[in-house]
Amino acid sequence: MSNGAPGPTPGFLVWRLANKWRVAVDRAVAPLGLTHAQYCLVASLYGMQRTGERPSQRRLADHTGLEALYVSKLARALESAGLVERTRDPRDPRAVQLSLTEQGRDVTREAIAVVQQLLQQLLEPLGGLGGPRTEAFTDELTTLLDVSLAPPAPDDVAPQSDGTTQRRAP
């Protein structure tokens, strides 16, 4: 930014980076018949299945940070493509469990390899996927993701003279 204007905010930069990486992953996994969102779902499901879990759509939504309704829509599309199987949970007839088909596992393994190569390229300025700066960056992102989105209680916020608000110290 120029003319003495303040630089971009961290939120703007995170948004720009997320969009840049989403587009890059979309392009990388498109030849495999996947979108970035579908990749997130099948890669997460692949990892969960490897630990013996057969997650519900709700559990997978919680794990990925995607809305449950969106996970349901993605799962239906992936089921139509022959990559995911959706079955009723025997313990809860309202819940739908997800699992990868054999074809889904094959496509997911290939997609994971493609995305790992892409991540290596995208993270090269920080020393690559295993570099110490990348590890520190990952730690910082994890810290930010762990922050609750619940609004502060009205008693915890103090108005400032410039019209903004600031959280009161406990």
Side-chain angles (χ1 to χ4, degrees), residues 14-35:
V14 167
W15 177 74
R16 288 278 316 270
L17 183 61
N19 281 317
K20 179 180 179 176
W21 284 20
R22 181 192 50 78
V23 167
V25 174
D26 266 336
R27 289 180 181 151
V29 298
L32 300 172
L34 296 172
T35 65

Side-chain angles (χ1 to χ4, degrees), residues 74-87:
L74 290 170
R76 280 193 202 99
L78 291 164
E79 181 181 43
S80 294
L83 303 178
V84 167
E85 183 179 82
R86 299 168 67 242
T87 56

